[in-house]
Amino acid sequence: MTHPYRSELKTALRSVRLAARACRSVQAGITTESLAKKDSSPVTVADYASQAIVCHSLQTSFPGDPVIGEEGAAELRVPEGSVFLEKVLSECRNVGLMATPQQVCDWIDLGGNSTYSPRFWTLDPIDGTKGYLRKEQYAISLALIIDGTIELGVLGCPNMPVSDASDEVGVLAWAIRGHGAWMQPLDHSEAPAVPVQVSSTSVPSDLLFCESVESGHSSHDWSGLIAAELGIHREPIRMDSQCKYLAVARGDADLYLRLPTRKGYQEKIWDHAGGVLVVTEAGGQVSDIHGRPADFSQGSTLAINEGMVVTNGKVHPVVIDAIRKHAPAV
Ligand code: AMP
Ligand code: MG
């Protein structure tokens, strides 16, 4: 594949693979007891380790590039954070990244940027923290944005099935704008990359849609009305994280609805950028609930958008109409 971002892609894929290893290692230690206690410390450790690993790679390869992400290291720099910091260091060491506590905090803080610039990366080191804790779906999402346009997007999905025909889990998907979307088993960097392609479903009642597990992140009541309007007969797939973008991109689902639960919530760019490019390069379509394109030139949020609608491209207008028809009065 010839494209202008060869070295960016190489760095992004390698770092997301490494980050996924750290996430898996921490996730393996989550017990039913820690879940019952609602102990969220594993996700804290893995979140920081994942961010440190990716930001270290980006800084080494592209020293001038800012990274806009969710986490900063402030919590780790105070005395109470030292237990976490020690665990983060140990996870970094496990994947071959030797560092001092100071270095790890500095790498994490690289991703705590929020100022917009003409070229930057956006990172969600663990998207879908609830899914991560439940040992279900989560994603590591990384994207390169230049002049407000997503040029490169990577999704590491450590618990997604490689294919229908396999028990293996772990998918790495990526896209370069204008050069298609691709995927590979996360654990086999030597395996051939296969093109990712959306479904061809065009009859609304045949659609299979996906949405957040969390009804606080996307309205299940509203999606229920839309499904009834379109005559959709299959139950939605409820899944955490940007794995929903991969599900639509490779045709596991035809539609992903993210319907605002309250006025004023601004979607974060790191919750979407990686997924948006993968699905659009796979032939899909993305807009907000009003049919407006997702605008990544507004800083760290999609400030002029509301919610998100992701389709296989064949049914976008009919879905937007149904959303509008059933919009709750506010
Ligand atoms: P999901 O896994 O699809 O439920 O989405 C997880 C993401 O939802 C998190 O990374 C949060 O940034 C984001 N989030 C938090 N609160 C809200 C909200 N009120 N509406 C939409 N998304 C939210
Ligand atoms: Mg997120």
Side-chain angles (χ1 to χ4, degrees), residues 136-172:
E136 293 171 4
Q137 297 305 334
Y138 66 100
I140 297 135
S141 175
L142 179 63
L144 174 65
I145 299 182
I146 299 182
D147 296 329
T149 301
I150 314 165
E151 295 290 342
L152 179 164
V154 178
L155 290 181
C157 304
N159 285 341
M160 281 292 268
V162 166
S163 72
D164 283 348
S166 156
D167 291 337
E168 186 183 341
V169 294
V171 176
L172 185 63

Side-chain angles (χ1 to χ4, degrees), residues 66-255:
V67 185
I68 297 185
E70 200 165 11
E71 313 294 343
E75 266 182 50
L76 295 178
R77 291 186 192 271
V78 294
E80 306 84 73
S82 63
V83 183
F84 280 125
L85 184 53
E86 198 38 61
K87 290 184 177 158
V88 173
L89 274 168
S90 147
E91 293 304 328
C92 289
R93 271 197 300 273
N94 283 346
V95 299
L97 186 58
M98 305 302 164
T100 63
Q102 176 70 36
Q103 280 173 317
V104 161
C105 288
D106 291 348
W107 293 333
I108 293 166
D109 272 338
L110 272 177
N113 228 298
S114 58
T115 36
Y116 183 81
S117 53
R119 171 178 160 129
F120 67 93
W121 297 81
T122 186
L123 168 69
D124 197 339
I126 293 189
D127 182 42
T129 50
K130 299 252 172 67
Y132 181 81
L133 287 169
R134 288 191 228 100
K135 300 199 178 186
E136 293 171 4
Q137 297 305 334
Y138 66 100
I140 297 135
S141 175
L142 179 63
L144 174 65
I145 299 182
I146 299 182
D147 296 329
T149 301
I150 314 165
E151 295 290 342
L152 179 164
V154 178
L155 290 181
C157 304
N159 285 341
M160 281 292 268
V162 166
S163 72
D164 283 348
S166 156
D167 291 337
E168 186 183 341
V169 294
V171 176
L172 185 63
W174 67 90
I176 301 282
R177 191 169 67 87
H179 295 271
W182 304 85
M183 65 180 173
Q184 216 178 27
L186 187 59
D187 298 314
H188 298 286
S189 57
E190 75 296 344
V194 297
V196 181
Q197 193 66 52
V198 292
S199 69
S200 56
T201 316
S202 58
V203 177
S205 58
D206 290 342
L207 293 175
L208 180 55
F209 78 96
C210 58
E211 62 184 354
S212 293
V213 175
E214 301 299 320
S215 57
H217 294 171
S218 182
S219 168
H220 292 175
D221 292 344
W222 193 355
S223 66
L225 296 172
I226 294 159
E229 171 75 23
L230 297 174
I232 293 176
H233 47 87
R234 284 184 286 179
E235 287 300 308
I237 303 173
R238 293 204 171 129
M239 191 190 278
D240 300 284
S241 84
Q242 283 168 72
C243 289
K244 293 186 280 297
Y245 278 101
L246 176 63
V248 175
R250 67 178 187 179
D252 297 351
D254 311 299
L255 172 64

